[in-house]
Amino acid sequence: MNNQQLAAIFNLIADLLEIKGEVIYVILAYRKAAESLQNLGREASEYWKEGTLREIPGVGKAIADKIDELLTTGSLRFLEDLKKEIPASLAEWRQISGLGPKKIALIWKSLGITTMEELKQAAQDGKVAGLPGMGEKSAKLILDGMESLSRRSDRLPLWKAAPVVEDLCNILGSLPGVATVSPAGSYRRGRSTVGDLDILVASENPSVVMDAFTSLAGVSRVLGKGATKSSVEFSSGVRAQVWVHPPAKFGTALQYATGSKEHNVAMRQLALSKGFSLSEHSLMGQDGTEHFFATEQDLYAALGLQWVPPEMREDLGEMALAAAGKLPRLVELADIRADLQNHSTWSDGEMSILEMARAAMARGLKVIAFTDHSQSLGVTGGLTIERHAEQQKEIEAAQREVGDGIRILHAAEVEIKADGELDYPDDFLATLDLVLASLHTSLRQPRDKVTARLINAINNPNVDIIGHPTGRKIPDREGADLDMEAVLQAAAKSGVAMEINASPYRLDLDDKYARRAKELGVKISINTDSHSAKDMEAMSFGVAIAKRAWLTPQDVINTWSDEKLLAWLKDKKSAN
DNA sequence: GCCGTTTTCGGCCCGACTGTTTTCAGTCG
């Protein structure tokens, strides 16, 4: 049983307990444990074997015992008993927006219904509207909620969210009286998928913003419209929410709207411990005096904290570091000087080596590696060794053309074949400037086999980087079922770097594994996997993942000087 | 149910918006 499955069980327990009417703090404890398991870079089963389950944040005696029972027997007595009391199908109703635990309990107990179909029927028949505290609008809210639930996917992939956020910011920013616009929420925190889109607007005239936002083209449903906060659903199923605050309060408001919820709870607790009450409007002293902050920096400083980068705001230890003035200097987009996975027309790319190199130069890069596919990946036009010799000539010509502007590396994305062997012989690999090894095929192999394939590649002294390690595609394809802990341990031992593939379709490694890699001393390479100049824009997404993993420039080989990077590549070769 | 630079027991964040209400409960973020 993996972390995701354990987390799902604890979230289910939380849902059922909430409907049952359990005190809120018990529910919060289960949700915290679930959240914590999802963010963990190692499997809980490994902690379990070591007897260190309670080192997982939010896991105390009771939940550790439940994890133990689940891993030992595969089931949980507590949950089975709970299901006899509260039908598990009611937990599905929680996904309907506008329907919370209290109303679910009311409907279930009053009408004796438990399924989605029965709920729909009851809402249509007027039975829901007849309940105490409910009315026609409540029934309609439920029906609308069910309707949009059927249209929505769980979370929005970044490649879908980014253009929408950009459009919204441009439109809102051009309204009269608007001083500033900023994305907030999970998008600003750099998550690889986002839920609803959150946008914060600074203006003294909120009604203009609210009116414009709720009447945008493409809005299919206004979920709420108030004086300073509104939310809408677009016909695409995407939901967005906009807050408006005056510029003088923009700092507190942006901090609040950025979250995460867990980070904000920690912030408020800290404020309380210092005799203040923190809200999205102000920091209020016990005597009622309010302090306003135009910037987040001022707010964090007022609480005795360093400004915490949004990507770190998950309550995973950043508060203590910020209080001690010891936040790491995270890697930034401006630190990136090399992109080490790119494709040209020599395989499945759309542009020539010279065109790509010039595009990279225009972005300020100093090193670009061409990692065209290897021969066995036929659909991509993978290169034979003979064609590599021709490509080498073109690279030399392109290098003469661009001069000192950028260094072009002759590399390859070598296929790790189904049997674990690499697609080129070692003596050829040794001649390349850089070798990136990746899985593209037979991703569904059993865990042991696919893990062994990757480790075999890691142990090849010619391999410098493992590309997009799990092979996942967002949102459609789960990655290979890897024993990531074993993979990262092997990489630490051999000195191979692991890639954070910056493509918003991949973002692989994800942040939790990248963070675990850093703990083990594994170097990271952030690459765009570009097939055209436009793809190079994705670097910022990869950097966001790296920041979420708390990586510094030293951890990321793409930030290193030419000398250091080339020496590192050479050392790996000479260790051959 | 978890947790500890106020605490091993007593806390655990705060406000906007909506609908069904005559002053508030539920939901959401």
Side-chain angles (χ1 to χ4, degrees):
Chain A
M1 197 172 287
N2 64 32
N3 289 351
Q4 305 311 315
Q5 292 164 320
L6 289 170
I9 287 170
F10 290 128
N11 273 324
L12 175 60
I13 290 174
D15 285 343
L16 297 179
L17 287 176
E18 219 171 2
I19 294 166
K20 185 181 172 185
E22 179 61 271
V23 289
I24 189 66
Y25 299 110
V26 177
I27 291 146
L28 289 174
Y30 280 108
R31 294 215 191 280
K32 163 113 176 104
E35 178 77 20
S36 191
L37 285 165
Q38 279 170 321
N39 286 327
L40 216 52
R42 298 173 66 198
E43 289 300 320
S45 55
E46 288 162 14
Y47 288 83
W48 176 63
K49 282 176 211 153
E50 296 167 7
T52 54
L53 276 175
R54 294 186 63 178
E55 285 177 11
I56 300 170
V59 174
K61 178 162 191 330
I63 292 181
D65 285 349
K66 288 186 175 69
I67 295 174
D68 177 57
E69 186 181 336
L70 282 162
L71 292 178
T72 308
T73 69
S75 70
L76 185 60
R77 184 84 219 172
F78 176 79
L79 177 58
E80 297 313 313
D81 289 345
L82 187 59
K83 281 180 183 170
K84 284 176 199 153
E85 223 178 321
I86 317 285
S89 60
L90 292 177
E92 291 169 26
W93 294 11
R94 291 298 319 263
Q95 298 167 43
I96 301 168
S97 70
L99 200 52
K102 299 281 166 44
K103 286 183 182 174
I104 290 175
L106 175 71
I107 293 169
W108 164 52
K109 286 179 183 164
S110 309
L111 304 178
I113 57 174
T114 59
T115 68
M116 281 274 192
E117 291 70 32
E118 288 169 330
L119 176 62
K120 189 171 183 180
Q121 198 62 50
Q124 285 168 342
D125 294 349
K127 286 184 185 151
V128 168
L131 294 173
M134 310 271 280
E136 286 301 331
K137 289 196 173 174
S138 304
K140 176 140 192 337
L141 191 67
I142 290 171
L143 289 171
D144 287 350
M146 292 178 98
E147 168 66 26
S148 54
L149 180 62
S150 64
R151 243 183 318 150
R152 299 178 75 202
S153 58
D154 273 357
R155 290 179 69 83
L156 210 54
L158 207 47
W159 53 266
K160 235 181 191 174
V164 181
V165 170
E166 202 171 305
D167 277 359
L168 280 174
C169 286
N170 286 336
I171 292 168
L172 297 172
S174 66
L175 293 173
V178 170
T180 318
V181 180
S182 173
S186 53
Y187 184 83
R188 183 167 181 243
R189 299 201 310 281
R191 288 200 52 171
S192 49
T193 61
V194 297
D196 299 351
L197 305 177
D198 300 297
I199 314 272
L200 192 69
V201 176
S203 170
E204 298 288 1
N205 193 353
S207 62
V208 172
V209 180
M210 296 290 89
D211 289 344
F213 174 58
T214 51
S215 56
L216 280 175
V219 168
S220 61
R221 200 178 150 208
V222 176
L223 302 164
K225 183 183 176 189
T228 62
K229 180 181 144 185
S230 297
S231 58
V232 305
E233 185 173 293
F234 293 99
S235 45
S236 59
V238 174
R239 288 183 174 198
Q241 171 162 246
V242 169
W243 283 272
V244 186
H245 285 268
K249 298 180 179 178
F250 195 69
T252 34
L254 182 59
Q255 195 285 322
Y256 166 79
T258 297
S260 65
K261 196 170 65 183
E262 291 77 13
H263 178 81
N264 285 359
V265 168
M267 286 286 283
R268 291 199 170 111
Q269 281 173 344
L270 178 67
L272 277 181
S273 76
K274 292 179 182 285
F276 294 100
S277 168
L278 176 63
S279 74
E280 60 259 56
H281 301 291
S282 68
L283 192 60
M284 199 194 306
Q286 280 158 338
D287 59 358
T289 51
E290 285 190 285
H291 306 272
F292 301 112
F293 302 98
T295 70
E296 284 186 339
Q297 281 77 0
D298 293 342
L299 168 61
Y300 279 93
L303 290 172
L305 299 173
Q306 283 179 290
W307 177 77
V308 180
E311 295 85 352
M312 292 183 77
R313 299 182 194 172
E314 301 288 347
D315 194 26
L316 294 173
E318 74 279 9
M319 294 294 287
L321 289 179
K326 289 184 177 165
L327 284 179
R329 188 325 213 154
L330 300 185
V331 62
E332 300 287 343
L333 184 58
D335 296 320
I336 301 291
R337 54 195 313 291
D339 191 344
L340 303 177
Q341 174 165 198
N342 295 277
H343 298 261
S344 71
T345 45
W346 281 87
S347 63
D348 60 350
E350 292 167 20
M351 296 171 79
S352 72
I353 283 171
L354 185 57
E355 287 170 322
M356 290 289 280
R358 284 187 166 144
M361 262 170 80
R363 294 189 161 269
L365 293 181
K366 303 295 180 199
V367 178
I368 182 170
F370 285 93
T371 50
D372 280 302
H373 291 283
S374 62
Q375 52 201 5
S376 77
L377 214 53
V379 289
T380 65
L383 271 64
T384 59
I385 290 175
E386 292 69 34
R387 291 195 68 220
H388 262 292
E390 294 170 42
Q391 189 191 29
Q392 173 65 27
K393 287 179 200 152
E394 184 171 324
I395 285 173
E396 284 165 10
Q399 184 70 74
R400 279 193 297 276
E401 197 71 29
V402 296
D404 295 338
I406 191 165
R407 185 186 291 264
I408 305 174
L409 300 182
H410 183 191
E413 181 174 22
V414 60
E415 189 61 20
I416 302 168
K417 294 193 286 188
D419 61 3
E421 291 302 309
L422 297 182
D423 197 19
Y424 293 128
D426 285 346
D427 56 356
F428 172 69
L429 291 174
T431 67
L432 293 167
D433 294 328
L434 179 154
V435 175
L436 180 132
S438 309
L439 299 170
H440 292 95
T441 55
S442 303
L443 292 172
R444 294 277 181 87
Q445 285 176 338
R447 186 182 180 90
D448 286 355
K449 193 162 183 191
V450 71
T451 301
R453 272 165 83 191
L454 212 52
I455 290 177
N456 189 51
I458 287 169
N459 288 339
N460 185 313
N462 294 303
V463 172
D464 302 300
I465 303 171
I466 296 294
H468 48 71
T470 76
R472 76 165 174 177
K473 284 276 184 74
I474 301 170
D476 303 325
R477 188 171 78 198
E478 291 278 316
D481 180 22
L482 288 173
D483 179 348
M484 191 58 83
E485 181 68 11
V487 168
L488 295 176
Q489 300 265 9
K493 204 169 159 194
S494 73
V496 163
M498 301 295 281
E499 182 178 73
I500 292 177
N501 192 290
S503 163
Y505 292 90
R506 291 192 181 272
L507 299 171
D508 177 17
L509 297 175
D510 70 12
D511 47 325
K512 65 177 186 285
Y513 290 134
R515 189 171 177 182
R516 179 62 182 156
K518 178 187 166 83
E519 284 172 7
L520 292 170
V522 176
K523 295 300 176 200
I524 296 290
S525 183
I526 311 174
N527 304 312
T528 61
D529 199 353
S530 288
H531 288 66
S532 76
K534 185 163 181 6
D535 294 344
M536 293 178 186
E537 289 170 12
M539 187 57 87
S540 61
F541 297 131
V543 171
I545 298 296
K547 290 168 88 170
R548 291 182 59 80
W550 298 20
L551 302 189
T552 66
Q554 293 74 37
D555 300 320
V556 179
I557 67 174
N558 307 62
T559 71
W560 294 356
S561 68
D562 283 20
E563 298 70 35
K564 186 172 176 184
L565 177 61
L566 294 173
W568 180 79
L569 290 169
K570 190 159 178 284
D571 273 353
K572 289 201 81 310
K573 296 272 186 291
S574 61
N576 201 346

